[in-house]
Amino acid sequence: AEKVKAALFNKAWQAYNKGKAEHLQGPFKTFCKQEKEWLDDFAHYLVLKEQNNGQAWFQWPDDFKLRNRQVLDEVAATHQQEVDKIKWLQFIFLRQWKALRAYCNDKGIKLFGDLPFYASYDSVDVWANPELFAIDDEGSLLGVAGVPPDGFSDDGQLWGMPVFNWDVLKEQHYSWWIERLRKNAQLFDMLRLDHFRAFADYWQVPAGETTAKKGEWHRGPRADFFRVIKKTMGDFPLVAEDLGEIDDPVYELRDEFKMPGMKVLHFAFGDDLPNSNYIPHNYTENYIVYTGTHDNNTTKGWFRTDAGDSIKQRINKYTGRLVTEDNVNDIFIRMALGSVAKIAIIPIQDLLELDETGRMNRPATIINNWSWRLKQDQLTGDVESRLAELTWLYNR
């Protein structure tokens, strides 16, 4: 698939260079000028990665790794065609995405984005802005991200991305983050902030550790960050991913800026069901409810393989029905749509009543993720009619 895609990209780029899309020349030049702040670094990074056999930037020769400006300019001049092609593909992507977004918006459909909190160590973001991250003058890691041990993992989760130097970011009025959010605002109508708790406090592990056990909590930017964001971006809709082990400062930060939090029905049926934050009778309006998220099993898969007998008994008691593999999707979808949460999100796998083979992602694993694909013939008229009826019935 990658070879086919590369061949098509080459064909399109060659056609453009032969003047077959003359109407794009002016807009492309404008794009390169408007997006210069990130686009130049992005193109140079990809060219250098190709020149260094795909190695991570921190394995490159020092002139490349430490961004010797004269050397970088020479490389860019020598490989001008490759640089221009990378920029042109970004131009075409954004042009097509904006057309798709306009089409969706015209149909009353909003696009909901998902913003990772951290940036990968081997990324143009870290290479081009080393002062913003916990790395030394040679580009080596000092502190990495993760979460501490909990009920799911005795070792915690060691993610490996460099944590932010929030003092430097604050001195720069969070300009890198602001530009990041502005770029996402070009793509989406609302945006989920993943790992929201790290804006309050984040877990930093010394580089070289093999588990997250020896990390420490550090104070995040908290309200100061969101005051600057609100001042510069206005009321662009942000959603707080407030799942997991959360404490009061996280909830206070979320609520101070009136960001919706998340409710996941799969989490609602533990021992604390009556008082659970995830059970529908405890919701207020400013939340987004999911049957399950991209990190969960499908609802049928969760019921079949993850939910034990005690959880199934609590579901029966709560719904007043005998819940089975055959009806669990319908019951959970109705539970979500019938809640007071202002937005209800139903994964397409749940609408199609797929089992665990339709799962999207398994957190803390690196294989067999994000490979599920929706096939065109799966969205039948019956599925559409059922969704339309439920949407009408619950005034969604």
Side-chain angles (χ1 to χ4, degrees):
E2 288 298 318
K3 290 183 178 179
V4 172
K5 185 165 66 173
L8 291 173
F9 285 166
N10 284 334
K11 186 175 182 180
W13 170 243
Q14 290 166 8
Y16 173 78
N17 275 334
K18 292 176 181 177
K20 292 186 178 180
E22 190 173 344
H23 66 287
L24 294 179
Q25 292 181 3
F28 177 47
K29 289 179 181 177
T30 301
F31 171 81
C32 290
K33 183 177 180 180
Q34 291 177 340
E35 307 294 333
K36 180 179 176 60
E37 186 172 342
W38 68 270
L39 188 61
D40 285 359
D41 284 330
F42 179 75
H44 296 165
Y45 171 82
L46 289 187
V47 167
L48 287 170
K49 204 167 184 62
E50 178 72 21
Q51 295 301 306
N52 288 277
N53 301 312
Q55 287 185 313
W57 67 264
F58 43 84
Q59 299 171 317
W60 296 348
D62 281 354
D63 281 340
F64 298 156
K65 178 174 72 173
L66 304 179
R67 295 173 60 79
N68 180 312
R69 178 47 57 188
Q70 181 179 348
V71 173
L72 293 185
D73 288 344
E74 289 172 359
V75 170
T78 305
H79 299 275
Q80 190 64 52
Q81 271 289 306
E82 292 99 312
V83 168
D84 287 347
K85 177 187 171 184
I86 291 166
K87 292 180 178 181
W88 187 79
L89 288 173
Q90 290 296 306
F91 161 70
I92 294 297
F93 166 78
L94 189 61
R95 184 180 177 89
Q96 292 177 348
W97 184 275
K98 286 183 174 180
L100 172 64
R101 181 180 175 185
Y103 174 83
C104 291
N105 289 170
D106 188 56
K107 303 284 186 185
I109 299 169
K110 292 184 178 181
L111 302 186
F112 187 2
D114 195 2
L115 182 69
F117 185 81
Y118 289 111
S120 173
Y121 183 23
D122 183 24
S123 66
V124 64
D125 299 281
V126 179
W127 175 67
N129 304 280
E131 73 282 1
L132 304 183
F133 300 89
I135 58 177
D136 63 21
D137 291 341
E138 297 300 313
S140 299
L141 285 169
L142 296 174
V144 299
V147 291
D150 57 22
F152 297 100
S153 172
D154 292 338
D155 292 332
Q157 294 182 35
L158 188 65
W159 297 333
M161 298 86 81
V163 297
F164 291 105
N165 285 333
W166 282 108
D167 289 344
V168 176
L169 281 160
K170 183 175 182 178
E171 289 173 4
Q172 297 181 5
H173 306 289
Y174 308 110
S175 59
W176 181 87
W177 265 96
I178 289 169
E179 291 308 312
R180 191 183 190 203
L181 290 169
R182 280 179 173 157
K183 175 54 65 178
N184 275 267
Q186 290 182 18
L187 306 176
F188 305 111
D189 299 292
M190 57 191 301
L191 188 65
R192 188 187 87 136
L193 300 177
D194 192 36
H195 196 46
F196 178 79
R197 71 151 296 102
F199 287 109
D201 300 289
Y202 59 94
W203 189 251
Q204 179 170 333
V205 183
E209 292 292 325
T210 56
T211 75
K213 288 181 177 179
K214 294 184 180 179
E216 294 180 341
W217 286 111
H218 292 256
R219 187 181 176 96
R222 298 200 176 184
D224 183 66
F225 174 82
F226 288 101
R227 291 190 191 104
V228 174
I229 296 303
K230 185 173 179 62
K231 184 177 179 181
T232 55
M233 293 194 61
D235 293 322
F236 181 74
L238 298 173
V239 174
E241 184 272 293
D242 54 354
L243 307 176
E245 299 290 332
I246 303 297
D247 55 11
D248 287 342
V250 181
Y251 292 131
E252 291 166 3
L253 185 62
R254 177 198 69 192
D255 294 344
E256 179 179 350
F257 293 92
K258 298 181 173 58
M259 283 179 271
M262 295 175 58
K263 302 296 184 185
V264 181
L265 290 177
H266 291 188
F267 301 158
F269 297 95
D271 295 337
D272 63 341
L273 183 155
N275 299 312
S276 170
N277 288 328
Y278 300 106
I279 202 73
H281 63 252
N282 289 327
Y283 296 176
T284 53
E285 183 181 353
N286 196 31
Y287 286 99
I288 299 177
V289 60
Y290 301 71
T291 51
T293 74
H294 57 274
D295 286 333
N296 292 85
N297 204 337
T298 66
T299 293
K300 179 176 280 190
W302 168 79
F303 189 84
R304 279 165 44 93
T305 65
D306 301 335
D309 290 340
S310 59
I311 287 179
K312 292 178 181 178
Q313 290 169 10
R314 292 187 199 104
I315 298 172
N316 291 342
K317 288 180 180 180
Y318 190 74
T319 61
R321 297 180 62 181
L322 178 61
V323 183
T324 68
E325 290 182 27
D326 293 331
N327 65 16
V328 64
N329 285 80
D330 184 64
I331 288 171
F332 270 56
I333 288 171
R334 289 174 182 272
M335 205 183 305
L337 295 175
S339 75
V340 298
K342 68 179 183 180
I343 295 176
I345 293 183
I346 314 300
I348 191 67
Q349 294 96 323
D350 285 355
L351 196 65
L352 298 175
E353 301 187 353
L354 302 183
D355 63 16
E356 60 273 12
T357 59
R359 183 168 185 166
M360 191 79 76
N361 182 53
R362 290 170 177 79
T365 67
I366 57 174
I367 60 173
N368 299 324
N369 290 325
W370 304 106
S371 59
W372 183 84
R373 295 292 184 269
L374 176 68
K375 296 178 181 178
Q376 188 172 2
D377 59 2
Q378 288 178 287
L379 283 177
T380 64
D382 288 344
V383 173
E384 293 176 3
S385 297
R386 177 167 168 260
L387 180 58
E389 181 181 13
L390 290 172
T391 302
W392 168 81
L393 182 63
Y394 292 103
N395 195 30
R396 288 288 176 179

